[in-house]
Amino acid sequence: KYAKFYNAFVDKMQDLLPICKEKDPMILAGAHSASGQAAIKAMSKRINRKPDGFIGLDPFRINERKMTIDASIPTLEWGFAKTTCAVKINSAAKAAYEISSDAHRVFYRVDNISHSIAHCVFTDKGCAIICGRKKDGEWVPPAVAKSIHAFIVAIKTFSFTPSQFTLPSDDDGLYELFVNVQDPDA
């Protein structure tokens, strides 16, 4: 389903979005939770045009032994330090970071051990059935937006360094940042 939607949208993007007419816009594919898994699976085999980058908002069920992300696709992942909403950390954003190219990947690991923040923080109203969106982590959506801006600049300049992705909230210890070869397990 994700590949079908992605292909239909990208193929008709210039008609659907007048601002894109007669341009070659940057395409960023992305998704949250199980849709993130669908996006990664779709990118590996069924899309007409590769995206310029992938944004995973705690994509879930990522199987490091069976899944890959094309090495030419830069990735930006947001995930957590401990399992939340039944989303195991070793099958989510951390795993997506691990299966992507260490030449252009970024992983923000939110400290949900010291701070009460759940997997559904990336949604407007929570995930159906699993958990409702609470007033936790109000800093997360603006931080994700800033990281996406930095990600776009990094893609355009072919330069991925930790300093590009450091956000003001880092001083508060709200997240850890890993870029390229930096290992979240170290």
Side-chain angles (χ1 to χ4, degrees):
K1 290 181 181 181
Y2 188 95
K4 194 175 191 177
F5 166 77
Y6 177 90
N7 286 331
F9 182 78
V10 170
D11 291 346
K12 294 182 177 35
M13 183 171 26
Q14 293 189 352
D15 295 330
L16 297 169
L17 302 170
I19 196 164
C20 294
K21 273 220 185 288
E22 300 177 26
K23 294 180 182 172
D24 186 24
M26 179 181 286
I27 308 271
L28 298 176
H32 167 64
S33 201
S35 296
Q37 174 197 39
I40 291 171
K41 284 183 174 181
M43 286 189 305
S44 69
K45 52 188 153 194
R46 291 182 277 220
I47 57 174
N48 299 337
R49 175 183 167 185
K50 280 192 235 177
D52 297 294
F54 173 75
I55 301 167
L57 302 177
D58 213 22
F60 181 63
R61 291 209 180 147
I62 307 304
N63 185 325
E64 289 184 62
R65 290 185 306 257
K66 296 181 179 178
M67 298 170 74
T68 61
I69 295 175
D70 185 305
S72 69
I73 301 173
T75 62
L76 170 64
E77 307 294 341
W78 276 83
F80 297 95
K82 75 172 184 174
T83 295
T84 174
C85 301
V87 175
K88 296 182 172 119
I89 61 167
N90 289 327
S91 300
K94 179 177 162 269
Y97 176 80
E98 296 290 344
I99 65 170
S100 58
S101 170
D102 65 9
H104 43 228
R105 64 183 181 178
V106 180
F107 174 36
Y108 290 90
R109 181 166 55 196
V110 175
D111 177 8
N112 63 331
I113 296 170
S114 303
H115 308 278
S116 178
I117 301 174
H119 168 78
C120 299
V121 73
F122 301 113
T123 69
D124 292 333
K125 296 181 181 173
C127 301
I129 302 169
I130 307 286
C131 61
R133 173 87 162 86
K134 301 172 182 88
K135 293 284 183 195
D136 59 351
E138 293 298 319
W139 65 270
V140 174
V144 170
K146 288 176 185 174
S147 73
I148 292 171
H149 285 275
F151 187 55
I152 291 168
V153 169
I155 291 170
K156 287 181 177 180
T157 61
F158 304 104
S159 174
F160 283 71
T161 62
S163 62
Q164 290 173 274
F165 293 96
T166 302
L167 303 173
S169 58
D170 187 40
D171 297 339
D172 300 332
L174 297 174
Y175 69 87
E176 294 175 274
L177 173 64
F178 304 94
V179 179
N180 294 337
V181 297
Q182 293 177 325
D183 184 358
D185 292 326

